[in-house]
């Protein structure tokens, strides 16, 4: 497979530790490399998942985020959190999360989700790492928790798989967050029009892309390929570019530069120089 763009793409959110990739992870990563994906952030959702993400990152030359997903916090205990705190300093761990709030599913009480979200914010700031935030049907609550818990001088992170409108994107940017667009940004149903407007309005220096693999296969693969994977990010880059009226190569360069600055700027273990010309 030939790389689609001159700039290596940074997939800022993938769940490569999940069972969907257990049988062919090496091939999935090889396809991603062939499509021009230079970096992948493997994101944990439980303690076991976070350990796997950190291990995959080391073994495969990727990056990892560690944390407890809001839908998983009901089953997590104090020992899990202690272990997450320890994992925050593990090799190739560059972010805390996936954390946040979810009112769509009833897996954990909202009050408990808020407690765990606040823990993640504090850990991210203490560790000097960006936060990976999940928000589903809880926009006002997420903004409230961030505003009440975060030290604005230390707070940085990403609203992953963004699904809101331009106003919510602006509020997130105002709090110091980047906005990451996934396969849903490629969907053409009218109900996604507010999301498309958010793609257009997000400042260029806060723009990121992700696959959220194995979920949210982008168009034109939606309905034909049930498992999403990092190689598919090229379709997201192309759609974001079309919505913003620019060349795909420009979106590849901007989003990769933003991701490297957010996740890799403070690293001293051979990571790319993020401010070098792309």
């Amino acid at each position: 497979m030939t790389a689609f763009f001159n700039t290596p793409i940074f997939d800022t959110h993938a769940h490569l530790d999940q069972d969907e990739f257990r049988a062919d992870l090496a091939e999935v990563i090889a396809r991603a490399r062939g499509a021009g994906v230079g970096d992948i952030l493997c994101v944990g959702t439980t303690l076991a998942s976070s350990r796997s993400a950190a291990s995959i990152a080391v073994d495969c030359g990727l990056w990892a985020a560690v944390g407890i997903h809001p839908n998983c916090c009901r089953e997590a205990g104090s020992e899990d959190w202690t272990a997450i705190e320890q994992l925050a300093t593990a090799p190739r761990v560059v972010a805390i999360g996936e954390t946040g709030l979810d009112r769509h599913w009833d897996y954990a009480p909202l009050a408990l989700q808020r407690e765990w979200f606040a823990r993640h914010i504090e850990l991210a700031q203490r560790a000097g790492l960006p936060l990976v935030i999940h928000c589903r049907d809880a926009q006002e609550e997420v903004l409230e928790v961030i505003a009440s818990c975060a030290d604005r001088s230390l707070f940085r992170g990403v609203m992953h798989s963004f699904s809101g409108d331009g106003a919510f994107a602006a509020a997130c940017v105002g709090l110091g967050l980047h906005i990451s667009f996934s396969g849903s940004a490629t969907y053409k149903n009218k109900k996604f029009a507010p999301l498309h407007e958010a793609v257009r309005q997000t400042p260029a220096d806060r723009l990121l892309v992700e696959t959220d693999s194995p979920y949210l296969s982008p168009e034109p693969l939606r309905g034909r390929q049930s498992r999403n994977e990092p190689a598919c990010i090229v379709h997201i880059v192309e759609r974001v570019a079309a919505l913003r009226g620019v060349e795909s190569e420009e979106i590849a360069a901007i989003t990769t530069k933003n991701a490297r600055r957010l996740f890799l700027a403070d690293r001293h273990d051979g990571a790319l120089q993020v401010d070098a010309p792309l």
Side-chain angles (χ1 to χ4, degrees), residues 98-115:
E98 178 176 354
T99 183
L101 301 176
D102 191 317
R103 296 184 64 187
H104 181 79
W105 302 108
D106 189 24
Y107 293 132
L110 188 62
L112 183 62
Q113 293 184 43
R114 290 174 68 110
E115 177 186 332

Side-chain angles (χ1 to χ4, degrees), residues 181 185 194-202 207 239-240 243-244:
F181 294 101
L195 174 58
H196 297 160
E197 190 58 33
V199 172
R200 298 185 185 97
Q201 292 181 8
T202 297
L207 192 66
R239 178 60 171 157
V240 169
L243 287 168
R244 292 174 71 93

Side-chain angles (χ1 to χ4, degrees), residues 47 51 68 72-87 112 115-116 119-120 123 126:
L47 174 56
R51 284 174 169 159
I68 308 294
C72 302
C73 64
R74 190 173 206 159
E75 289 74 36
S78 59
E79 293 182 357
D80 296 73
W81 183 245
T82 299
I84 291 292
E85 290 179 306
Q86 294 169 347
L87 275 176
L112 183 62
E115 177 186 332
W116 279 86
R119 286 187 186 185
H120 284 76
L123 174 58
R126 174 158 43 93

